[in-house]
Amino acid sequence: MNYLAVVTTVATHAEAQGLARSIVERGLAACAQISEIESFYTWNGAVQNEREFRVLLKTTDLMYKRVEQAIREIHSYELPAIYALPVQQIYEPYATWLAGGSRGE
């Protein structure tokens, strides 16, 4: 089994909390962390500068498609950032806990 950190960004803290809670409650990820960030990006031909909230979801590669689908269902953005970073090394007892919390509903 491989472990992933799935990342997305949302506009508000409330949306980040709702998304994080929903995915963890469904058992799609064992943990979600929320960080406030400042983003610069191009959209509709102009550079945007916004405060956003990054949601990092700790899960397994077996859950990725379901996590992605859940984010797409909940997300308010027209084009949400959804991507996964592989976990190269992981403390085995933590990996066991993470796998147990990422088994789906």
Side-chain angles (χ1 to χ4, degrees):
M1 178 177 319
N2 296 306
Y3 301 94
L4 300 175
V6 179
V7 180
T8 192
T9 54
V10 296
T12 69
H13 189 252
E15 183 177 1
Q17 288 178 312
L19 187 144
R21 177 175 295 281
S22 177
I23 290 173
V24 171
E25 283 179 343
R26 293 184 202 185
L28 303 179
C31 176
Q33 296 173 319
I34 299 169
S35 305
E36 185 175 350
I37 60 173
E38 181 177 7
S39 296
F40 287 85
Y41 57 95
T42 58
W43 189 251
N44 294 326
V47 174
Q48 308 293 320
N49 174 220
E50 304 288 339
R51 181 178 118 175
E52 290 186 297
F53 294 86
R54 178 185 297 126
V55 182
L56 184 142
L57 302 153
K58 299 174 186 179
T59 190
T60 68
D61 58 344
L62 301 175
M63 286 289 109
Y64 177 79
K65 287 294 184 188
R66 292 180 66 187
V67 170
E68 179 185 290
Q69 180 61 38
I71 292 170
R72 290 174 47 223
E73 290 170 4
I74 298 165
H75 214 290
S76 66
Y77 288 178
E78 182 179 339
L79 179 63
I82 307 170
Y83 56 91
L85 304 170
V87 175
Q88 297 295 329
Q89 301 289 322
I90 190 166
Y91 177 53
E92 190 55 43
Y94 186 81
T96 300
W97 170 81
L98 192 142
S102 303
R103 293 186 183 186
E105 298 176 310

